[in-house]
Amino acid sequence: MTSAIARFADAHGRALVLVFLSFALAGLAFLFRIPISIFPQTDFPRVIILVNNGIAPVDIQMLTVTRPIEEAVRIVPGITNIRSVTSRGMSEISVYFRWDVDILHALHLVQGRISQILPNLPPECRFYINRMTFSVFPMVGFSMTSPNRSTAELWEKAYYEVAPRLYRLPGVAETRIVGGRPPEYHVLVDPQKLNGYGLPLTRVTEAIRRTNLIGAAGMVQENYKLYLTTVTGLIRRKEQIEDVVVGVVKGTPVRIRDLARVEPGERPIYNIVTADGLPAVLVNVLQQPDGNAVEIADAVNRELRQIQKELPPDVKLAIFYDQSILVRDSIGSVTESILIGLGLSVAVLVGFLKSWRTTFVAALVIPIAVLIAIVFMKLFNMSFNLMTLGGIAACIGVVIDDAIVMVENIIVHMSMGQPPREAAMSAIHELTPALIGSTLTPIVVFLPLVFLGGITAVFFRALAMTLVTALLASLFLAIFFTPVLARAVFRRSPGPVETDLEKAEQAGEGRIMRFLTGRYEKALHWSLRRPRTVLLASAAILAASVGIYYHLGSGFLPEMDEGAFVGDYRMPEGTSLEETNRVLMKVEQILKETPEIESYSRRTGARLALATAEPNFGDFLVKLKRDRKKSAEEVIESFRGRIAETVPVLQIEFAHILEDLIADLVASPQPIEIKVYHPDDATYKAVAKEIAEWLPKVPGVVDIVNRTIIIGPAHNFRVDPDKAALAGFGVQDVLDLESAILDGQVSSNMIRGDRMFGIRVRYPAAYRSTSGQLKELLITSTTGQTVPLSSIASVETEEVTHEIRRDNLRNMSAVTARLEGRDLGSTMNEVKARLFKEVKIPPATDIEFGGQYQMQRESFSGLTMVLLMSMLLIFIILVFEFRSFSHPIAILAATLLCGFGALAALDLTRTTLNISSFMGAIMVVGIVHKNGILMLDSEQEFSARGLSLEDAVFQAGRRRLRPILMTALATIFGMLPLALGVGSGAQILQPLAIAVIGGVSVSMILSLLVTPVLFCMLRKRGL
């Protein structure tokens, strides 16, 4: 078989070179067409349903909206859990599915179920239903501010002038406007004049609605033409509103101007938005899921610069968030790591091979393998992101392994007198089985990851697919490209021909390599004579690995300094919007005084995330300067301390942008989440309060928030049916009147040009500012009777109203917290050990731990399964390759011991065991066993020549020393730039690179000593 492959490569060398070069050229062409993003595009298994039902009371909202929707969607296949949050007039329902579910199909099924129950829901309900992807969050956010204009004017410009221009840009999916007030016309009715005419307030609303109409009456044929006939009373000017007839009193028409004044106004919205201290309108730009983040951001920025030139001088546009900056920095830092790693790997080859010809032939495999991987990335609609580029960076030192072994073998055969062509065929014949086995085994390491679900798969599936593609390409290149190129480039050495294999191997070695070879021969002789000592040392290494594992801190994701952070805050329960704003202006002053901060935006009564928000809730998005001296974490720590001193009443928690984004996508926003369940509402709320008061005792726990949210007080006007009926009122009549008096009722919309303005009927603020004024107001019924509201209704004040949180249809509460200066694993171990001892937990109370801790446990469990499956698959492949058990056991035992190097490197660099470093440990298994395969494959060759077992193992170790050192050092230096973690993008891959470097470094010793010793012991026992 190998001879046939060698003959095929020799006969079709030119064609094979053309095939590989064609793939490389295709990859070069696709290089500039593949979209760029921060992470792989992923559909998270979550559908979010936001329902706006005005300002309905919480209990009514729960019974009429939240629960019916929960029960309706529960029947959709693939659901694992349903979570909901119910507040005044708002329901936020998250539906979670298995990771293998087609989430787009599931979204349609959820929408279908809701449409079926729509007739049973309140008619005022407005829905937002969407699946969760990275593209549902803004890619670019900018503010509009002006010292001279109202927020209504800014909103109008944003909605009608700016947003449409951005919609036209390729790749832009949506523009969301936050803040500002849509302009309206307010009909401010004088209650004394209205009651004087004996008219109810609802009559004004109805009069405008019945006047501001246009309808088609039919068609008329006249003068050889067909005319459309309409009847219209459309209102287009303020004066026309004033002329609307409300009714006829004593034979005289009563117009709106007789009992009200009409003036421009704003839609009542209970939020406040600022940017750099000024009232602002924020515009968030969302991209299409498959869009190129950098190109879209560039187009948006160009358009904004053009818009700024056309806007009035006092209107300022300022970008407060641009994800493309992070994308550029991250992609740039990883690309730089790739290039530096490539250069260092080539330097390793030059140092060992001492020839530019041989280095060129071996190193050429790297760019061609990468370009072939890019071709397959394009075919599978993948993007350039941190994970795919991380896969390319990780493969730099790995894909060259096969080419190094092949080139080194060709050189040895040429030193023994074979011409380049014959030497190339001999190398193919000799190495093909070992190369196939050593390449297939790292591929099967990553194969289970493709079928893994969860957040781990989101990050590392793309990395694994890129790496597997490059490895397959490197295998074909090593067998069919490198030998063909070598026979054309290599030249015979002018020196004498060596007939002895050992001398032929030494022909190309320098002084350092000869020194290392001599030391290795002595070490291997010593080890083979003392197998028990080697086994005891191996057992000690294994025990040390276990000790380091338990000593290591653990986390979920590596920390990234993205140059920005989010601060989610809340004021005490029931705090008004005005008071919250007053306090937050002090916080804004702190932001302005912080030298590391470049700009910020603030939302009060609104959120960046797809979530409900009360008027005392909101968030900051802070953008840091690029040339600052402090890290983002240091700025946050300082900011947290100043807020605690200046405004201790404010609760605030901080998160990095991407951390907050990922947490919002999976609805596990905090590292620590303690969920409390009990059949009695008062009990689980009391337990949650005790836990929140206890958590500060745990060192390193900060930003503690009790999610038992008290919304605030409520005034309930309870109507007396008998008294109301005598005065000509029903409960619905009183409700309609109160709604119109307070927030007003939009009776109709006025069309002016291409814009629409609501016409809102309400009382002036002087008549509706307090509950006392409302009680004493005179109201008129449809029968013309005028009575004070207090005569037909009494006021009941409800001081406390809670949000209702449900998890899988059970009421619950949760306490969340973040960490400062401590890892997640040790903190949670302490929390779990102390909580049940120091906090009294009533019977029938269930406590569960969620948040990022739960995600970490699920991810580690999945990665452990990947590791075990990979080991099993490697073992099966090795049994097929060597047709014995001694070879696979010896190889895998040394591979497992290399985990010591990965763990020790993490411990020395004070890096936590997170999903990135765990993935690095799995990569170590896929990389280091190749050394054992090459060595024991060579042992078979020497045994076939008649050498004894120990002599064959010794010669195999000596024969493979140089290629093992070259491949290991090429991998180490290829990963070194990533391990240094230069740039925000490299930080997420830094733990992975550290683990790989540690494992590969140790493998150079273990593969060369432990593998041969263990193999000899097993072979002597007949395995």
Side-chain angles (χ1 to χ4, degrees), residues 712-728:
H715 289 309
N716 300 322
F717 285 82
R718 178 164 295 279
V719 178
D720 185 315
D722 296 333
K723 293 179 180 179
L726 290 173

Side-chain angles (χ1 to χ4, degrees), residues 285-341:
V285 182
L286 280 65
Q287 72 174 68
Q288 295 285 357
D290 57 350
N292 187 318
V294 173
E295 290 182 358
I296 297 170
D298 287 343
V300 170
N301 284 314
R302 281 195 303 270
E303 191 66 23
L304 289 179
R305 284 193 293 270
Q306 184 59 38
I307 292 171
Q308 180 68 80
K309 295 177 183 177
E310 301 170 10
L311 287 173
D314 62 302
V315 179
K316 179 185 176 184
L317 301 182
I319 292 177
F320 64 84
Y321 177 65
D322 187 348
Q323 193 184 89
S324 70
I325 296 174
L326 177 61
V327 173
R328 282 189 178 91
D329 290 347
S330 301
I331 301 299
S333 62
V334 176
T335 304
E336 185 179 336
S337 298
I338 291 172
L339 296 177
I340 295 173

